[in-house]
Amino acid sequence: MAVPARTCGASRPGPARTALRWPDRGSRPGLSARRPAARPPRPLSLLLPPLLLLPLLAAPGASAYSFPQQHTMQHWARRLEQEIDGVMRIFGGVQQLREIYKDNRNLFEVQENEPQKLVEKVAGDIESLLDRKVQALKRLADAAENFQKAHRWQDNIKEEDIVYYDAKADAELDDPESEDVERGSKASTLRLDFIEDSNFKNKVNYSYTAVQIPTDIYKGSTVILNELNWTEALENVFIENRRQDPTLLWQVFGSATGVTRYYPATPWRAPKKIDLYDVRRRPWYIQGASSPKDMVIIVDVSGSVSGLTLKLMKTSVCEMLDTLSDDDYVNVASFNEKAQPVSCFTHLVQANVRNKKVFKEAVQGMVAKGTTGYKAGFEYAFDQLQNSNITRANCNKMIMMFTDGGEDRVQDVFEKYNWPNRTVRVFTFSVGQHNYDVTPLQWMACTNKGYYFEIPSIGAIRINTQEYLDVLGRPMVLAGKEAKQVQWTNVYEDALGLGLVVTGTLPVFNLTQDGPGEKKNQLILGVMGIDVALNDIKRLTPNYTLGANGYVFAIDLNGYVLLHPNLKPQTTNFREPVTLDFLDAELEDENKEEIRRSMIDGNKGHKQIRTLVKSLDERYIDEVMRNYTWVPIRSTNYSLGLVLPPYSTFYLQANLSDQILQVKYFEFLLPSSFESEGHVFIAPREYCKELNASDNNTEFLKNFIELMEKVTPDSKQCNNFLLHNLILDTGITQQLVERVWRDQDLNTYSLLAVFAATDGGITRVFPNKAAEDWTETPEPFNASFYRRSLDNHGYVFKPPQQDARLRPLELENDTVGILVSTAVELSLGGRTLRPAVVGVKLDLEAWAEKFKVLASNRTHQDQPQKQCGPNSHCEMDCEVNNEDLLCVLIDDGGFLVLSNQNHQWDQVGRFFSEVDANLMLALYNNSFYTRKESYDYQAACAPLPPGNLGAAPRGIFVPTIADFLNLAWWTSAAAWSLFQQLLYGLIYHSWFQADPAEAEGNPEVRESSCVMKQTQYYFGSVNASYNAIIDCGNCSRLFHAQRLTNTNLLFVVAEKPLCSQCEAGRLLQKETHCILPALLPGPSRPARSLRAAAPLTPHPCPADGPEQCELVQRPRYRRGPHICFDYNATVRSGAAALTCSSPAPGLVRPCASPARPARADRLLLVSLRRKIPQTAAAEPLSHRRWASWCPCSCCSS
């Protein structure tokens, strides 16, 4: 029967294409009728059984080319498999390298990794390391309590009486606008000399401590001077601690007054803008100063709250959220006549970084309207705290209310929910400049074991939103020794440049009494901390005996990783802790959820699982076997795990006792041998203590050779295991050159190079000139080809990596190559291991031509091409019909490896959807590929500078012309508030809008954590060879796909598309940005990634990322600290059970009115709200700290 030719508008000219004829569309089984042009057809790939497809492949007619039959394409696939296998057998040298290892069997031993013993030993070593820090902490805390108890308070102390090293002095002297320069500092500041210390990555002085005082605290106040006076005695304890343990890093005392004294002394890392560092807001201080918290923040958004007052409230809530850690739970609600959550969170959620950012973004959307209804707000808060069906801290419970004032005391609500036990503390905050009676707010706080604060202006926010921690510390102080327990933090960035650290913390209590025979003081003096660098903990783990894919990891009670090879945070904002969950560090599955839960519960365990792993370059996914073994680290809240592939159960340990052989093999490392033996790259490992590191491998090799001329591989200052294995592998790979590579002509098989890489750290590339174009890392354990070859059987192809945003590959001088590698597996005495990887580098252009021949009807390249005669019937092939037939090799990640289309050669290495989106979608729809999506929570994003910067802070109250003409307005609180805000805006560069990272001056551009969505593809369940049709009306395409045996390649043959009507959704294989709501830019706030080469278009997480509001509905398993100090019957209300009308003897009432506390006389610094009067004549023991007596803003008078 006659059938029409396939058309799509005008047909492609050329005899080959017009001769191809198709059967009638209506006769195709399973194909739908042609759809109307007004509605473009939806692409659909239909799998047809071979028997039904065969009649469709060859249309009758004269001189016709038909789509190749299935057996033909299978024949091509076998030819490709044979060619690849033949080249690898000849040049790869797998079998020859096995024989070389066996011939040198006397030069090494096979050692076993016993997982249980290994992990227990490492856990014990980490426990010992941390225990030494714990002992130092206890000595410091005990000494601090005794020093403070013996200290005599001095009312008339002066700045010139105190001598100390001010860590910020140098920076302030360089700043003509600084506080000290302006007023002329009277303090006797030491001038110190410093020496560089690699352990601290800083210049230090071991003879003194340094003091850091927050910018917004007056250094000359009586409180601060007394604090400096008694903490000076800690200096000798710090020094003695270091004498006993020279490995100690920063030792720090963070005082509740804000003073930080640390040892050894080093200049403060002065930010480029204002320094907002306050030790009381650091993660380690917050964790050590109080037990976990369940907090509900309620914000008054009635109509009276508007303009600057509402702005102050929003900023105050954000600052309050920053005082919470991952052990805490929180929710935020607004209220007027009724209460409602400000975000999508309907219950308490963990106060982690991502949740807090959701709150901060939601708070900015609050609008003032309606009337004040305290009852609605408090009822909502108590209902939240009484919800027992959710995960929460189950410790300190509190309500924080921000309002501008009101008359209702809602006593009935407190009687219903909180009295008589008063298990929920209530803290009230009067915000803004107003004349409302604040007595009801004071009463609410003092009758519910809380505290009342005033925030009249922006300068009072930071201090007043963190001092509630003093109140929460009281039960800990009363618990005494029971509360003196060292806690270890999760990972965070050290403020002094040490990098990632964990900190052991211990609270320091006030041991004084209110008077002879009176009650015990209830104040926490501060927190003592000692840092431990993560690198110091990593040094206790086995480095190279576990192989390239084995590793050690550790997690805390939240499931956050302490150690993990994938812990690589990009952000440098040290205000935020590094909270990477174990299930986000790896690709999550049910088995890993079980392992994580068992580790959090402190159990031991072992499990072998089949799981997915992401390649080091994040382009590929492999399905692998892994053995997980875990044990708890005693005396800590950490648990340690070990991951081993089955092939890493055993490893080689060189035993080169023959010094003559050592010298012989060492000579093959000399550059003079490279021309004949191939170029050698050595892994930049720490072979010896005196070896100078370098990022340039040629320079590193030079340093290594120079050192080896002075020491022997058996030297005590060197790692003998690493050195012996390196030298052994140098000799073994040289023998591979001698036996296999040197006598072969690489050009015959179109090879650019051959290579071998080993566990011992050697990468040998032959010939020497090929090293000029070698771009792989010299550390095999960090090379993607090396790690993937170990995890996969057969030959692993790795095309050159390309980015879609960059220009295509340039094929010049035949330098672009494709790596093909495979692991060398040894069986020695029944023990199997994989100590090396060998491979070849294919010449891309030459192998593309060879690929055409292998997928054609020619048997070899010299044979003439077969032409289809005028009356013959021929099958198309990939060479003759390359204008009509697309033939490609795609790897297991979906990246183009080879193509018969010359114009696609420069696209090799790109994701195939960028080359042929229609065909890649069909392969995916037919299960040749499976998609895996994951999220990178360690990325850093930076917003671009806004284009429309105004002169004044946005959101500020703007007076009308009538206001300016009204004399009364100039004397009002609004005018003063506006004036003060403008001054603060000039000083603090718009605090309301400034990003904390920018304020603290860390990066050049503001950066913060964001989420990157990653998408990878890997081979699906289909292994068979079959044909399919991409249904697209008149533009349908036939294609054939088949996996190549013993490789990671997919061979695809398809008709080239005639038209673009079938262009559908394109599959993506790249990182896309899913910016957290708090970072989502507005019209003037675009965003860009620190990784990106060009600005990106950001989108909110709910669109393409993990929906945070859904994630909190199914929280991951966690455990909080095992002990809680939240209630004690003897805890006093207010600040010290004193009223303002009856101050302690010798104290003068510090303010004229409970509603109007005295202003600070300086706009630059925030006044100490509870400053002890200078006129106080005598000071009882209980008043050695300003917070131990009751100011008028605490209780009703």
Side-chain angles (χ1 to χ4, degrees), residues 308 312 433 456-460 956 973-987 1159-1160 1162-1163 1165:
L308 182 58
L312 288 171
Q433 300 280 350
S457 62
I458 190 172
I956 192 171
W976 168 248
S977 180
L978 174 64
F979 176 66
Q980 187 184 38
Q981 169 58 30
L982 289 175
L983 287 175
Y984 272 112
L986 292 174
I987 296 167
R1159 287 188 185 278
R1162 296 177 50 80
L1163 291 176
L1165 53 92

Side-chain angles (χ1 to χ4, degrees), residues 33-41 1034 1061:
R34 184 176 179 181
R35 298 177 182 175
R39 185 179 180 185
N1034 282 340
Q1061 290 183 9

Side-chain angles (χ1 to χ4, degrees), residues 879-938:
E879 183 182 24
V880 175
N881 308 99
N882 61 354
E883 291 188 4
D884 300 294
L885 199 65
L886 173 66
C887 303
V888 292
L889 290 177
I890 313 172
D891 69 15
D892 56 330
F895 297 96
L896 179 62
V897 176
L898 286 175
S899 173
N900 72 330
Q901 306 296 309
N902 292 15
H903 68 277
Q904 292 181 354
W905 290 354
D906 62 355
Q907 299 184 65
V908 166
R910 288 194 171 176
F911 187 56
F912 191 60
S913 186
E914 299 168 12
V915 181
D916 192 328
N918 189 248
L919 183 54
M920 184 62 196
L921 183 62
L923 294 172
Y924 172 71
N925 287 339
N926 283 293
S927 300
F928 280 101
Y929 286 95
T930 300
R931 177 166 54 197
K932 180 65 178 179
E933 294 179 344
S934 58
Y935 299 93
D936 178 8
Y937 293 99
Q938 302 179 87

Side-chain angles (χ1 to χ4, degrees), residues 922-1074:
L923 294 172
Y924 172 71
N925 287 339
N926 283 293
S927 300
F928 280 101
Y929 286 95
T930 300
R931 177 166 54 197
K932 180 65 178 179
E933 294 179 344
S934 58
Y935 299 93
D936 178 8
Y937 293 99
Q938 302 179 87
C941 293
L944 293 173
N948 53 343
L949 290 174
R954 286 174 284 179
I956 192 171
F957 165 69
V958 179
T960 65
I961 294 178
D963 289 329
F964 280 113
L965 297 177
N966 187 346
L967 181 61
W969 181 82
W970 286 97
T971 62
S972 67
W976 168 248
S977 180
L978 174 64
F979 176 66
Q980 187 184 38
Q981 169 58 30
L982 289 175
L983 287 175
Y984 272 112
L986 292 174
I987 296 167
Y988 288 101
H989 188 58
S990 185
W991 187 326
F992 288 141
Q993 298 298 326
D995 186 284
E998 180 186 23
E1000 299 197 24
N1002 281 324
E1004 288 292 339
V1005 276
R1006 291 175 294 163
E1007 60 183 47
S1008 188
S1009 57
C1010 66
V1011 180
M1012 293 179 104
K1013 178 182 176 183
Q1014 296 182 337
T1015 305
Q1016 286 90 13
Y1017 293 82
Y1018 60 101
F1019 279 154
S1021 57
V1022 176
N1023 288 313
S1025 165
Y1026 66 82
N1027 302 292
I1029 294 178
I1030 305 173
D1031 182 25
C1032 190
N1034 282 340
C1035 296
S1036 297
R1037 301 169 63 187
L1038 287 170
F1039 76 90
H1040 166 92
Q1042 178 177 343
R1043 293 264 296 273
L1044 295 189
T1045 305
N1046 208 35
T1047 73
N1048 66 326
L1049 297 179
L1050 181 69
F1051 175 45
V1052 181
V1053 180
E1055 292 181 310
K1056 292 180 70 175
L1058 275 176
C1059 45
S1060 60
Q1061 290 183 9
C1062 282
E1063 289 297 331
R1066 174 176 294 183
L1067 298 178
L1068 298 177
Q1069 202 281 350
K1070 62 180 182 180
E1071 291 180 319
T1072 56
H1073 286 69
C1074 171

Side-chain angles (χ1 to χ4, degrees), residues 216-225 257-258 280 463-464 467 1158-1160 1165-1172 1186:
D216 52 359
I217 290 181
Y218 177 39
K219 298 178 181 178
S221 73
T222 306
V223 174
I224 298 301
L225 294 176
T257 63
R280 295 167 295 182
I463 286 184
N464 289 342
E467 294 200 352
R1159 287 188 185 278
L1165 53 92
V1166 177
S1167 62
L1168 290 172
R1169 177 174 50 81
R1170 295 174 287 183
K1171 183 178 178 183
I1172 292 183
W1186 45 271

Side-chain angles (χ1 to χ4, degrees), residues 582-599:
F582 168 66
L583 297 179
D584 294 325
E586 305 192 359
L587 294 177
E588 181 178 358
D589 58 38
E590 291 183 0
N591 287 316
K592 291 177 183 175
E593 287 182 14
E594 287 182 25
I595 293 169
R596 178 182 177 276
R597 176 183 285 265
S598 179
M599 293 180 71

Side-chain angles (χ1 to χ4, degrees), residues 81-95:
E81 293 166 355
Q82 292 167 1
E83 183 71 14
I84 294 168
D85 185 65
V87 170
M88 289 300 291
R89 285 181 182 276
I90 295 172
F91 291 93
V94 173
Q95 185 58 40

Side-chain angles (χ1 to χ4, degrees), residues 66-84 850-859 875-881 885-889 900 1040 1042 1044 1051-1054:
S66 64
F67 190 78
Q69 302 224 19
Q70 183 166 347
H71 67 83
T72 300
M73 293 180 284
Q74 290 174 340
H75 171 66
W76 295 344
R78 284 193 295 273
R79 292 177 64 182
L80 288 168
E81 293 166 355
Q82 292 167 1
E83 183 71 14
I84 294 168
K850 183 179 291 190
F851 169 61
K852 292 182 187 178
V853 175
L854 293 171
S856 73
N857 295 320
R858 288 201 288 167
T859 56
E875 291 181 324
M876 291 191 291
D877 69 31
C878 299
E879 183 182 24
V880 175
N881 308 99
L885 199 65
L886 173 66
C887 303
V888 292
L889 290 177
N900 72 330
H1040 166 92
Q1042 178 177 343
L1044 295 189
F1051 175 45
V1052 181
V1053 180

